[in-house]
Amino acid sequence: MNSKHGAPHIYINGRFLTQRMTGVERYAWNICKAMVALGQDFTIVCPHAELQSCYDISQMDVVRFGHGNSHFWEQCVFPFFFLTKRHFVVFSFTGLGSILVRPKVMTIHDLSFLENPAWFSRSYYYWYKVMTPLAVRTSRHINTVSEFSKREILRFYPFLSDNKISVAYNAVDQDLFHAPTSPATSEEHFALTVSSLDPRKNFLRLVKAFEGIDNCRLYIVGNANRVFSQQEGMNKLPENVRMLGRVSDEELIRLYHQADCFIFPSLYEGFGLPPIEAMQCGCPVLASDIPVLREVCGDAAEYFNPMDVEDIRRTIQNYMRNIDKKKNMMRERGFQNVNRFSWQASAQTLIQLANKL
């Protein structure tokens, strides 16, 4: 489906290609892949810097412009690319985008830095507190990843109107995440959790809950991110809790396949991608009872109060006691739930948006 005559050409802020693939980079990459699958013409503009090997750009039109891969490139170098361009729209899928480029759509994944500044380093908080409203005011449109995040954007930036914000959901990369082809087995019972180790992910309460659980281990995948405040207490773990650090995608999928359940104790999310990745791999999900996870996980998850260590523990113990009854039922509900989300549907939403601008 090539762009219709008269539709603006789509350019994508390609700074993400120079960064490791975490949540927001995975979103950008999968939208790009879905646009290719839909036959949509677009150009990725990225700096003359080393691109991460996890991105296969062989089927994409990628243009190099300027040097560096920092916010300086995004704000001060990237805009010069468009001095001679006409009739275009720029998508920034991983953050602010340049405030000097007006025909743009910026993506806000969440506003957790405004919800609780203490979760972040002071430099990160002040940068985004100042720059985000500037980027919002200089954007033609705002893209976000859930109805919850849309409500949050309207709450924190009430000068915006409802019709200036669209929702293009996250989805599962089905080329990567899949159910096991044969029954997965493990020599031990373990629960899995995956995320960066920052305070809003609430791992301290989850770890504390496991102090009272003797029939299941907890494996934690993820490294601390330097933008977050120091996470204290993660260096003294119970014997049944193990930190795995960063793992390869292949190892992560193996863990999803073998885990008795996936636990997501987060206090605040814009979407919450790991639970539906777990569901796609056939792993039952226990999750925080917060609005966005109710939106994303529906009736496919069991929920707990993320602020209550005892409730987290009870939910895990109840699941483990009844695992023979619950596991297959929750697996099937998970498979049904992930079908609600599609990268091609989200890409189509953004293509239609571009053609209206």
Side-chain angles (χ1 to χ4, degrees):
M1 183 192 69
N2 293 320
S3 296
K4 298 183 294 183
H5 178 72
H9 186 70
I10 295 174
Y11 290 95
I12 293 173
N13 178 352
R15 179 175 170 243
F16 75 91
L17 294 175
T18 68
Q19 300 168 322
R20 290 188 310 181
M21 192 184 296
T22 59
V24 296
E25 290 83 14
R26 196 177 293 277
Y27 180 88
W29 180 236
N30 280 288
I31 291 291
C32 289
K33 289 198 299 181
M35 285 186 174
V36 170
L38 290 168
Q40 174 64 42
D41 293 329
F42 65 95
T43 301
I44 303 177
V45 183
C46 68
H48 287 280
E50 182 180 359
L51 305 188
Q52 295 290 318
S53 60
C54 54
Y55 305 107
D56 177 8
I57 60 173
S58 58
Q59 299 184 61
M60 299 181 188
D61 179 21
V62 177
V63 174
R64 300 295 195 103
F65 182 81
H67 293 273
N69 64 347
S70 65
H71 289 297
F72 180 82
W73 177 86
E74 187 173 63
Q75 296 300 328
C76 301
V77 179
F78 182 51
F80 282 95
F81 178 84
F82 299 99
L83 286 179
T84 60
K85 302 293 186 291
R86 298 290 182 271
H87 200 43
F88 65 91
V89 61
V90 177
F91 282 99
S92 285
F93 292 128
T94 60
L96 297 169
S98 174
I99 62 174
L100 299 178
V101 178
R102 294 301 181 110
K104 71 173 179 292
V105 177
M106 70 175 290
T107 299
I108 297 178
H109 289 264
D110 67 65
L111 292 172
S112 51
F113 68 96
L114 294 177
E115 175 67 15
N116 191 333
W119 290 335
F120 297 85
S121 65
R122 294 180 70 180
S123 59
Y124 183 97
Y125 168 71
Y126 284 113
W127 169 258
Y128 281 95
K129 181 182 180 182
V130 171
M131 293 297 293
T132 301
L134 290 175
V136 167
R137 289 182 182 275
T138 56
S139 295
R140 292 266 181 89
H141 202 85
I142 307 301
N143 173 49
T144 192
V145 294
S146 65
E147 293 294 336
F148 169 78
S149 281
K150 180 176 179 176
R151 293 192 298 271
E152 291 290 272
I153 294 166
L154 291 170
R155 175 164 75 98
F156 284 110
Y157 302 122
F159 57 83
L160 279 170
S161 59
D162 182 90
N163 61 8
K164 197 176 178 180
I165 308 173
S166 296
V167 174
Y169 282 110
N170 276 279
V172 176
D173 184 348
Q174 297 191 358
D175 293 335
L176 181 62
F177 296 98
H178 54 83
T181 54
S182 59
T185 59
S186 174
E187 295 180 356
E188 61 179 337
H189 288 288
F190 71 91
L192 180 68
T193 190
V194 177
S195 189
S196 58
L197 304 185
D198 64 271
R200 71 184 169 118
K201 301 303 182 180
N202 201 29
F203 285 143
L204 288 182
R205 289 189 180 89
L206 179 59
V207 166
K208 197 166 186 62
F210 264 82
E211 290 177 356
I213 296 176
D214 56 13
N215 60 343
C216 182
R217 295 173 65 89
L218 174 67
Y219 287 173
I220 302 175
V221 171
N223 283 344
N225 190 315
R226 64 183 175 85
V227 306
F228 299 108
S229 300
Q230 180 65 36
Q231 178 79 323
E232 298 178 357
M234 294 300 287
N235 57 341
K236 295 180 181 180
L237 300 177
E239 290 185 1
N240 63 342
V241 177
R242 182 180 172 193
M243 296 281 299
L244 301 182
R246 287 183 64 87
V247 301
S248 67
D249 287 336
E250 294 75 17
E251 176 66 6
L252 176 59
I253 292 165
R254 184 190 69 80
L255 291 166
Y256 276 138
H257 288 171
Q258 294 184 349
D260 288 313
C261 63
F262 176 79
I263 307 176
F264 201 62
S266 185
L267 300 175
Y268 188 96
E269 295 289 330
F271 180 88
L273 187 56
I276 63 169
E277 290 177 346
M279 290 178 186
Q280 179 68 24
C281 292
C283 187
V285 172
L286 313 181
S288 293
D289 193 358
I290 57 176
V292 69
L293 293 183
R294 287 280 184 176
E295 178 183 348
V296 170
C297 297
D299 67 355
E302 291 197 350
Y303 297 95
F304 52 76
N305 178 353
M307 302 298 292
D308 187 339
V309 171
E310 288 300 322
D311 193 49
I312 298 172
R313 183 182 296 126
R314 279 194 301 269
T315 303
I316 297 167
Q317 289 177 323
N318 180 60
Y319 171 80
M320 293 304 298
R321 280 195 298 266
N322 296 283
I323 191 169
D324 292 339
K325 295 179 181 178
K326 293 190 172 195
K327 190 168 187 178
N328 286 337
M329 177 192 70
M330 292 179 68
R331 280 167 50 90
E332 291 305 315
R333 287 184 179 178
F335 291 142
Q336 294 171 17
N337 183 64
V338 295
N339 289 333
R340 296 193 293 130
F341 307 104
S342 159
W343 286 119
Q344 289 202 7
S346 292
Q348 187 66 60
T349 295
L350 295 169
I351 291 167
Q352 292 172 351
L353 170 62
N355 291 341
K356 295 176 182 178
L357 295 178

